[in-house]
Amino acid sequence: MAVLPYDAVLCDIDGVLRHWPATDDLERAHGLPAGALAAAAFTPSRLHPAITGKITDEQWRSAVAADLANACGSLGRAHTVVTAWSELVPLVDQEVVSLLTKVREVATVALVSNATTRLEADLARQRLDDLADAVVNTARVGVAKPDPRIYLIAAEHVGAPVHRCLFIDDTVANVTAAREIGMTALHYRQLEDLRDALSPLFDL
């Protein structure tokens, strides 16, 4: 009897499963320079408390609005921009959905994301909440990639030894950290990368 190469597949969400639209048009419409939203929202000192659960998604977005107040001309205008940004909907890659659905026939699947407390609601809104056997949201467990602890937590969630996990992420640092603790890991750049990495599960 053939032995599967992995017991579990741990997959990143943003940049692999779903892709957020550019904010250039939104920023232009509100008189902001290109990249202003990302600069305010994703600077490490602003983002890290949100993705480790020290603050809620709502608190994070309010802080982003406060950071943009001067550029927008007022806090009210900044809140309007952040509300419009918060209403953007990511594009789900249905081919990735299909591949992960197929994986679940032979192995356990977990989504592992550096995310805020809004993640679960977002997944439900796009009918992705049943895609995986588990969702490991860093805001719920208190540590974020590439902290080695998040990989151990994810492996524990799926009940698999780390060396029997395949980890997939579009960020090199996250992939490197997974490899350093003994996981097989894929730096995702295109769909063919994922197909190739998963093919041993389907070719037995």
Side-chain angles (χ1 to χ4, degrees), residues 7-43:
D7 295 329
V9 173
L10 313 177
C11 187
D12 181 35
I13 296 178
D14 294 324
V16 180
L17 174 61
R18 64 182 188 180
H19 303 273
W20 290 90
T23 58
D24 302 38
D25 290 345
L26 190 157
E27 289 163 333
R28 191 178 304 111
H30 291 274
L32 289 172
L37 269 165
F42 302 127
T43 186

Side-chain angles (χ1 to χ4, degrees), residues 54-181:
K54 292 180 174 63
I55 61 174
T56 65
D57 181 85
E58 292 83 2
Q59 290 170 323
W60 173 57
R61 291 174 195 273
S62 290
V64 172
D67 290 345
L68 289 170
N70 286 340
C72 290
S74 73
L75 183 58
R77 290 193 185 98
H79 275 293
T80 298
V81 174
V82 171
T83 296
W85 171 59
S86 301
E87 290 172 352
L88 294 176
V89 178
L91 176 67
V92 175
D93 189 326
Q94 293 299 331
E95 292 187 86
V96 174
V97 169
S98 295
L99 283 171
L100 294 180
T101 299
K102 187 176 179 183
V103 169
R104 286 186 74 188
E105 297 174 7
V106 294
T108 305
V109 173
L111 301 179
V112 184
S113 181
N114 281 1
T116 70
T117 55
R118 196 177 93 161
L119 177 64
E120 292 83 3
D122 280 352
L123 292 177
R125 192 174 298 116
Q126 293 195 281
R127 298 183 179 180
L128 297 172
D129 47 331
D130 291 327
L131 177 62
D133 298 286
V135 174
V136 182
N137 178 356
T138 61
R140 305 296 181 188
V141 299
V143 290
K145 298 176 288 186
D147 188 314
R149 291 173 292 174
I150 192 62
Y151 306 97
L152 301 175
I153 290 168
E156 183 179 0
H157 268 66
V158 297
V162 293
H163 70 278
R164 296 285 297 165
C165 294
L166 169 64
F167 175 77
I168 301 151
D169 202 293
D170 65 315
T171 300
V172 172
N174 297 341
V175 172
T176 300
R179 288 176 181 154
E180 286 175 349
I181 69 154

